[in-house]
Amino acid sequence: MNPEVSVICTCYNHAPFIYECLQSVANQTYDNIQLIVIDNASTDNSRRVILQFIDQYPNTIFIRSVNNIGLCKAFNQGLGEAKGKYIIDLAADDVMPPQRIAQQVKAFEELPKDYAVVFSNASYIDTSGKLIGYHYALGNDGKAQGVVPTGNVYKEILRRYFICTPSIMMRKSVLMKLGGYDETLSYEDFDFFVRSAHDYKYHYIDEVLMSKRVLDGSMASQFYLVGNDMLKSSWAVCNKAYDLSRSQEEYDLLAERIRQFIKKCFVAEDAQQATEFRKLLNYIEDPGWETELLVFLCRLHLPVNWIYQFYAKWQSNRKRSLMQQGVPFVQLDS
């Protein structure tokens, strides 16, 4: 009676964390799980650790890439092997509490078929597993403070990052209808959120059902590195959102998101991508003098990135301190 859930775990140089991650899948209270592990050409001991786990759990499907093919393509390899009704995309450094899958499946089975995603609150842990804070700050009752968007969330997806991506469970039929992850992109969540939330609903479970590990050099910090591909991928997703959006409010929200990306282009010293974002913004509204000035400054190739990197280290330490005091991540990241 319990539908199968496929957990797709992609690993790249996560040797210190991969065993704990996989063991958290084995420790689930839910008993109908297909575990698929992809080693995306790790150069550390990740493969050896994975094989040690498979010695104990031989039903695990293991895919080893000879060359690093990128996160999206690696996930799609796993998706090709997935038999489950529902899918979890699990990073190799994160940890699932034992009740996660059972609670999310229960929620999904009670929802209409126009719900594509079930997500939850999440905790943040450091390299040693120490609790740093929560995605949504908890009240005295252990529930998230404030209102978490649920149901039709497309406009909120355009507005800001509010979902802790590792907490999501996806309906496989929707994922397949979308063609899996877009393999031309360097990261997956913004694109998947935009494409799925436009036509489907999301459901929030007010429980902490994921532990996301915070590491130096995280994907979010890579947005600001000189020469990164993530801004180009973000531009591609914004183009998709432009084609999908219909109301003036949706276009206004997208315009504000584009302005945020132009600021990131300035920090990353990426004049070409800033210009492309500015062209897209111009289809929606007049960019205005402030945006025009920022794009112009990008073209001057000012060496601002080293200043930002110094600031980012200070800001990261400050964020961790505030999260330990109960300030929600979504508020810090908005």
Side-chain angles (χ1 to χ4, degrees):
M1 296 297 293
N2 293 333
E4 188 170 17
V5 176
S6 295
V7 178
I8 302 173
C9 178
T10 52
C11 174
Y12 177 68
N13 288 353
H14 287 113
F17 313 112
I18 181 66
Y19 195 91
E20 181 183 9
C21 171
L22 298 179
Q23 190 63 52
S24 75
V25 180
N27 291 343
Q28 291 296 299
T29 59
Y30 196 78
D31 60 1
N32 194 6
I33 300 172
Q34 176 194 33
L35 177 57
I36 304 165
V37 184
I38 303 102
D39 179 49
N40 203 4
S42 295
T43 58
D44 64 359
N45 291 327
S46 293
R47 180 172 175 266
R48 182 181 301 173
V49 177
I50 293 168
L51 291 174
Q52 289 174 352
F53 176 85
I54 292 175
D55 284 342
Q56 291 183 275
Y57 302 95
N59 290 331
T60 303
I61 297 174
F62 183 36
I63 302 171
R64 186 190 179 207
S65 296
V66 177
N67 300 306
N68 190 299
I69 56 176
L71 175 61
C72 295
K73 190 170 184 178
F75 174 85
N76 284 347
Q77 278 190 326
L79 185 61
E81 299 289 336
K83 299 177 181 178
K85 182 178 181 181
Y86 304 115
I87 304 290
I88 290 176
D89 179 358
L90 181 64
D93 53 350
D94 295 337
V95 181
M96 299 196 300
Q99 75 279 11
R100 175 194 169 161
I101 292 181
Q103 288 191 234
Q104 289 190 315
V105 169
K106 182 177 184 297
F108 246 137
E109 290 294 284
E110 295 172 355
L111 290 168
K113 291 185 178 180
D114 61 344
Y115 278 81
V117 169
V118 169
F119 69 104
S120 72
N121 201 350
S123 64
Y124 288 89
I125 58 176
D126 64 14
T127 54
S128 65
K130 180 181 177 182
L131 177 67
I132 298 173
Y134 297 94
H135 192 72
Y136 306 111
L138 302 183
N140 294 330
D141 58 354
K143 303 299 182 181
Q145 296 178 351
V147 178
V148 179
T150 190
N152 293 309
V153 299
Y154 179 69
K155 292 178 182 177
E156 201 63 30
I157 291 292
L158 294 179
R159 186 193 311 274
R160 63 185 178 123
Y161 169 72
F162 73 94
I163 297 172
C164 183
T165 304
S167 77
I168 71 171
M169 177 182 282
M170 300 169 279
R171 192 183 295 273
K172 183 189 176 186
S173 59
V174 173
L175 196 53
M176 298 302 290
K177 186 176 181 180
L178 294 174
Y181 288 165
D182 184 340
E183 295 181 7
T184 67
L185 304 177
S186 59
Y187 73 107
E188 81 297 345
D189 53 0
F190 185 31
D191 177 66
F192 172 75
F193 290 158
V194 165
R195 291 192 293 144
S196 60
H198 182 265
D199 296 319
Y200 298 92
K201 296 177 183 178
Y202 283 37
H203 176 73
Y204 172 68
I205 299 177
D206 200 3
E207 301 286 344
V208 179
L209 297 180
M210 193 65 207
S211 291
K212 177 176 173 56
R213 201 177 302 270
V214 179
L215 304 174
D216 292 334
S218 65
M219 186 165 290
S221 67
Q222 292 176 28
F223 265 109
Y224 300 98
L225 296 178
V226 175
N228 78 81
D229 291 328
M230 298 183 70
L231 289 167
K232 184 177 180 180
S233 292
S234 301
W235 174 81
V237 178
C238 287
N239 273 275
K240 294 182 185 182
Y242 176 82
D243 291 336
L244 290 170
S245 296
R246 295 291 178 265
S247 70
Q248 187 59 51
E249 183 183 3
E250 290 172 352
Y251 283 121
D252 290 342
L253 291 169
L254 177 59
E256 183 55 37
R257 194 68 176 267
I258 291 171
R259 292 178 191 278
Q260 294 174 21
F261 283 123
I262 291 175
K263 293 177 182 177
K264 292 180 179 180
C265 289
F266 174 70
V267 173
E269 303 176 20
D270 193 337
Q272 180 179 352
Q273 204 58 60
T275 301
E276 294 300 315
F277 273 116
R278 186 259 174 218
K279 290 179 182 177
L280 179 58
L281 178 61
N282 196 49
Y283 285 118
I284 303 173
E285 63 186 31
D286 182 356
W289 70 268
E290 292 179 333
T291 297
E292 297 286 15
L293 176 60
L294 193 58
V295 173
F296 172 75
L297 292 174
C298 284
R299 292 171 182 158
L300 294 180
H301 299 286
L302 300 174
V304 297
N305 191 261
W306 71 270
I307 299 174
Y308 174 78
Q309 296 300 334
F310 179 82
Y311 166 78
K313 280 190 176 181
W314 173 83
Q315 184 72 350
S316 177
N317 292 332
R318 176 177 173 272
K319 272 188 179 183
R320 294 189 188 192
S321 176
L322 289 173
M323 287 177 68
Q324 288 172 338
Q325 298 172 39
V327 178
F329 176 85
V330 287
Q331 180 177 319
L332 293 170
D333 203 50
S334 60

